Amino acid sequence: MTRRRWLVHLIFRALLYRRGRTVLLLVVLAMASSLATALGMVSFSMGKRVADEVRKYGANLVVLPESARLDVGSGGLSFGAITEPAYLRQDEVESALVKSGIAAERSCHLRGALRFRNADILVEGVDFGEIRRLLPWWQLRGGWPAAGEAVVGSDLAARFHLKEGETVALDGPRGEVKLRLSGIVTSGGEEDGLLFLRLPELQSALELKGQLSTVRLLIPAEGGSLRTRAALLQQFLPKAKVTEVRQIARTSEGLLAKVKLLMLLVTVVVLVSAGSSVTGTMSTTVLERSREIGLMKAMGGTRWELLRIFAAEAFLLGVAGGGAGFLLGCGIAQFITVSVFSASAQITPWFAALSLGISVLLALLGSLGPMISVFRLDPVRSLRGE
Amino acid sequence: MASIIIEAAGLTKSYGEICALKPLDLSVPEGEWLSVMGHSGSGKSTLLNLVGGLDRPTAGTLKVGGEDLLGRDEDGLARFRREFVGIIFQQHHLVPYLTALENVMLAQYFHSLPDEAEARTALERVGLGRRLKNRPGELSGGEQQRVCIARAIINSPRLLLGDEPTGNLDGSSTTMVLELLRELRSQERFTVVMVTHNQEVADWGDRTIHMDDGLLVREERKVF
């Protein structure tokens, strides 16, 4: 029989002999690693789930042109400031996003005024494909516009008694623009007072080709702080103002960070408690086995050989506890994610390694003190039962 | 003339203020059966622990099998024990969760390689061929001590140490164990150092030294 095989045989015999204590250690290790694994899985799944939820609230960053600001006053008198319209260059925004490496969904907007029935009305040029992804709460009666078509906000439609399918004529710097109204939109916000048409058509009508007044960005919650990424994008757009949409930022980042911190703290508390429990149980075991350890030393076992036996015992317990903990953790994670997020937990082999690693580390660290006792134990005194 | 296996000069052991062994000179030829007699606290077990490399002397010199034990660290002493020494204890000290066979194999594990056939033969030599798979709790005191003897001789030690090995046995078991030791010694030619407080047991040896209060006070050689 090889020495390694004998060592494993010896450890299994010892563990089976003290099966009550062995089961207790396995339960502690399995519970600790399962909880850590489950919370890790939930945290991982939650990141993606929250990102999906946040998407429903639309953009979380807004890029605006820095308005040209002129102070008006004389001597010590100040009459305030006047601003004149300013625009973002569409190509500069695209280039800044590429250079900063920020992967974001975006919607580009140009806002202006056109004359309709002797009144100025606010119009906005957009890409309707982008709008459907980033502003999912828009309720549209009718269809999305094709070329030469527009949608009108519900308030504006009511003001001018506009109906779906009607054609409107608008006056702008380049003359008259005729648009068919494909639908009426309700958002519950300021959009209800606007008329929306395709971005290139408005840019052409206002003679502002390649110009934008707003860019809305939806940046995924995972992958770093929103504030950091806003600051990064700002570096590449010095003439613009990159602003967080606060409520959304709080939802996506603050909540996620707090819940993750809570989970981390719970995990730390569980691991510390489990570690203490392992230490206590292993200390009792070593105390009970002191004669046996003394005998092994008397038979010629060196301190390192004895340490190896006890470390191997802790390692095997850790592996068994980690394996059980992984299976249990998958169940707990699945239960939490289904109950809270109505989605399955994302289980990857990486979590099996995490569970085993935590359990083995816990078993070895928890056994460190008792193993030092084994190392130092005097064979003569222990055989005398002192 | 037989070579000297144990050579001690001025061997002393103190535990703080208490001097357990006062300067002692001792010479044991290879193959001898030395009995060490004395009351509790006379220093006989201390002497046995020093000779077996289980403890370190406070002063003096000690050579066993030509090896200077004072120059060895703790792990060096452990290696010495596995190579040179077999020990039989009064309390048996068998591992409770291992069978008789596995208890013998445990000594092989620390020496070299566990060999089941060899361990089985050792147990058959001590008359336990039919109790191989029994655990210590299922064996009588005499049988347990015979497992200890098999365990002690499995690695062919040059020195067999007995710390009151018959102290817990009845008369017939004591005789059986001592006869077994005598027979094995004649086959294996190991040296025996046996601590006892029983004169009848001591008489099985070639020589008896008497200890009192840490001092060697008297020496008797058996007259054949």
Side-chain angles (χ1 to χ4, degrees):
Chain A
M1 190 184 276
T2 62
R3 284 174 65 79
R4 185 172 291 177
R5 210 173 138 200
W6 171 257
L7 178 66
V8 173
H9 175 77
L10 183 71
I11 290 168
F12 273 110
R13 283 293 182 125
L15 291 176
L16 280 174
Y17 183 67
R18 294 175 177 80
R19 52 177 75 85
R21 197 152 288 154
T22 303
V23 169
L24 178 68
L25 278 170
L26 281 176
V27 167
V28 168
L29 291 171
M31 289 299 289
S33 60
S34 70
L35 204 63
T37 308
L39 293 182
M41 281 182 194
V42 170
S43 188
F44 184 67
S45 305
M46 196 174 66
K48 287 190 177 300
R49 189 67 188 163
V50 167
D52 289 345
E53 291 289 327
V54 162
R55 186 181 296 274
K56 292 179 185 168
Y57 298 98
N60 49 17
L61 276 190
V62 174
V63 184
L64 296 164
E66 192 76 82
S67 299
R69 182 186 165 92
L70 296 170
D71 288 322
V72 180
S74 174
L77 281 174
S78 173
F79 301 113
I82 55 166
T83 55
E84 56 183 39
Y87 298 98
L88 298 162
R89 285 191 56 84
Q90 194 167 356
D91 54 352
E92 281 178 5
V93 175
E94 298 288 345
S95 163
L97 283 167
V98 171
K99 283 180 189 165
S100 64
I102 293 172
E105 288 190 47
R106 74 204 70 160
S107 67
C108 299
H109 304 250
L110 174 65
R111 191 173 283 193
L114 291 173
R115 296 283 300 170
F116 178 62
R117 293 180 190 169
N118 298 322
D120 282 334
I121 62 163
L122 279 174
V123 291
E124 192 162 311
V126 295
D127 178 322
F128 287 101
E130 292 170 349
I131 289 290
R132 288 167 74 174
R133 285 199 305 276
L134 271 109
L135 307 174
W137 60 86
W138 273 27
Q139 292 173 13
L140 182 71
R141 197 171 74 237
W144 289 99
E149 291 184 334
V151 289
V152 62
S154 54
D155 290 351
L156 191 65
R159 184 177 151 200
F160 290 100
H161 309 288
L162 298 171
K163 289 193 175 56
E164 186 188 326
E166 194 175 328
T167 299
V168 291
L170 306 165
D171 287 319
R174 288 191 64 181
E176 190 182 72
V177 182
K178 283 191 172 177
L179 296 164
R180 181 183 166 274
L181 299 177
S182 67
I184 296 171
V185 67
T186 306
S187 72
E190 61 160 356
E191 291 94 343
D192 292 353
L194 273 71
L195 183 130
F196 295 89
L197 63 157
R198 293 172 70 241
L199 179 63
E201 288 174 5
L202 186 63
Q203 284 173 331
S204 172
L206 295 175
E207 293 183 320
L208 290 170
K209 203 168 182 187
Q211 307 283 315
L212 301 171
S213 47
T214 317
V215 177
R216 296 183 187 193
L217 298 170
L218 173 58
I219 294 181
E222 67 266 27
S225 150
L226 194 61
R227 184 172 297 175
T228 312
R229 283 178 288 178
L232 178 66
L233 187 59
Q234 181 72 75
Q235 285 176 14
F236 292 99
L237 287 169
K239 292 177 188 167
K241 190 175 177 187
V242 182
T243 315
E244 288 176 54
V245 181
R246 293 275 171 197
Q247 296 88 334
I248 304 303
R250 282 200 191 106
T251 306
S252 62
E253 263 185 11
L255 182 69
L256 198 63
K258 278 179 185 170
V259 173
K260 281 186 176 177
L261 180 66
L262 178 70
M263 286 184 174
L264 186 69
L265 289 175
V266 170
T267 307
V268 168
V269 170
V270 168
L271 291 182
V272 169
S273 310
S276 310
S277 181
V278 171
T279 303
T281 312
M282 286 299 271
S283 297
T284 314
T285 305
V286 165
L287 201 67
E288 271 182 7
R289 295 173 70 181
S290 60
R291 280 193 188 202
E292 186 187 319
I293 297 161
L295 172 75
M296 289 179 181
K297 286 192 172 182
M299 283 195 293
T302 62
R303 293 174 299 178
W304 294 105
E305 282 169 331
L306 268 291
L307 203 64
R308 196 169 151 230
I309 291 173
F310 278 81
E313 197 171 306
F315 179 80
L316 282 179
L317 279 170
V319 169
F326 173 66
L327 296 177
L328 195 61
C330 289
I332 296 172
Q334 187 69 11
F335 174 75
I336 294 174
T337 52
V338 167
S339 308
V340 180
F341 302 112
S342 306
S344 286
Q346 295 195 321
I347 297 164
T348 62
W350 186 83
F351 284 108
L354 178 78
S355 180
L356 284 175
I358 286 173
S359 180
V360 168
L361 200 69
L362 204 62
L364 288 174
L365 285 178
S367 306
L368 202 62
M371 283 197 284
I372 291 171
S373 307
V374 170
F375 195 78
R376 288 181 177 166
L377 198 122
D378 175 37
V380 175
R381 294 182 65 180
S382 60
L383 285 171
R384 277 204 300 252
E386 288 177 21
Chain B
M1 189 178 165
S3 59
I4 302 298
I5 189 164
I6 301 171
E7 198 171 5
L11 194 64
T12 309
K13 178 67 186 177
S14 301
Y15 297 101
E17 300 281 302
I18 301 159
C19 190
L21 193 67
K22 290 166 184 165
L24 175 138
D25 297 333
L26 181 69
S27 181
V28 179
E30 187 122 37
E32 185 180 54
W33 182 320
L34 176 74
S35 298
V36 184
M37 275 204 72
H39 300 292
S40 294
S42 61
K44 55 187 191 304
S45 289
T46 304
L47 175 63
L48 196 81
N49 290 337
L50 293 176
V51 167
L54 285 164
D55 211 347
R56 293 158 166 282
T58 311
T61 61
L62 175 65
K63 281 189 176 180
V64 179
E67 296 283 333
D68 183 4
L69 296 194
L70 270 72
R72 288 182 177 242
D73 63 6
E74 208 171 314
D75 290 331
L77 284 176
R79 282 188 283 274
F80 160 78
R81 290 194 292 273
R82 71 168 72 151
E83 294 295 334
F84 275 84
V85 186
I87 309 176
I88 309 166
F89 302 95
Q90 181 181 356
Q91 308 287 339
H92 315 312
H93 293 312
L94 291 167
V95 179
Y97 52 82
L98 297 180
T99 63
L101 188 69
E102 289 166 341
N103 265 286
V104 177
M105 289 171 77
L106 186 62
Q108 289 178 312
Y109 170 76
F110 288 115
H111 181 266
S112 47
L113 272 180
D115 183 333
E116 192 175 326
E118 221 173 79
R120 189 186 295 267
T121 306
L123 282 164
E124 283 165 357
R125 284 176 75 186
V126 299
L128 289 175
R130 304 180 77 172
R131 309 287 263 159
L132 302 173
K133 301 289 180 189
N134 287 98
R135 293 195 182 167
E138 298 159 351
L139 300 171
S140 69
E143 286 174 326
Q144 287 189 46
Q145 202 57 300
R146 280 190 278 160
V147 176
C148 293
I149 292 170
R151 184 179 66 186
I153 62 161
I154 189 68
N155 297 321
S156 306
R158 286 176 65 189
L159 183 62
L160 189 82
L161 305 177
D163 192 357
E164 308 240 20
T166 57
N168 280 353
L169 303 180
D170 59 25
S172 62
S173 296
T174 297
T175 310
M176 194 189 301
V177 164
L178 293 172
E179 276 176 351
L180 180 62
L181 278 177
R182 180 184 280 174
E183 186 191 327
L184 290 170
R185 187 176 72 117
S186 68
Q187 292 164 6
E188 303 273 334
R189 306 225 170 259
F190 48 74
T191 306
V192 177
V193 178
M194 187 184 290
V195 163
T196 180
H197 60 268
N198 185 328
Q199 186 62 56
E200 284 178 27
V201 173
D203 290 343
W204 282 71
D206 305 318
R207 182 164 59 121
T208 303
I209 58 172
H210 292 263
M211 311 264 316
D212 187 27
D213 197 23
L215 280 171
L216 196 164
V217 291
R218 189 156 54 90
E219 185 176 330
E220 292 168 358
R221 194 170 289 277
K222 193 172 184 178
V223 180
F224 292 96

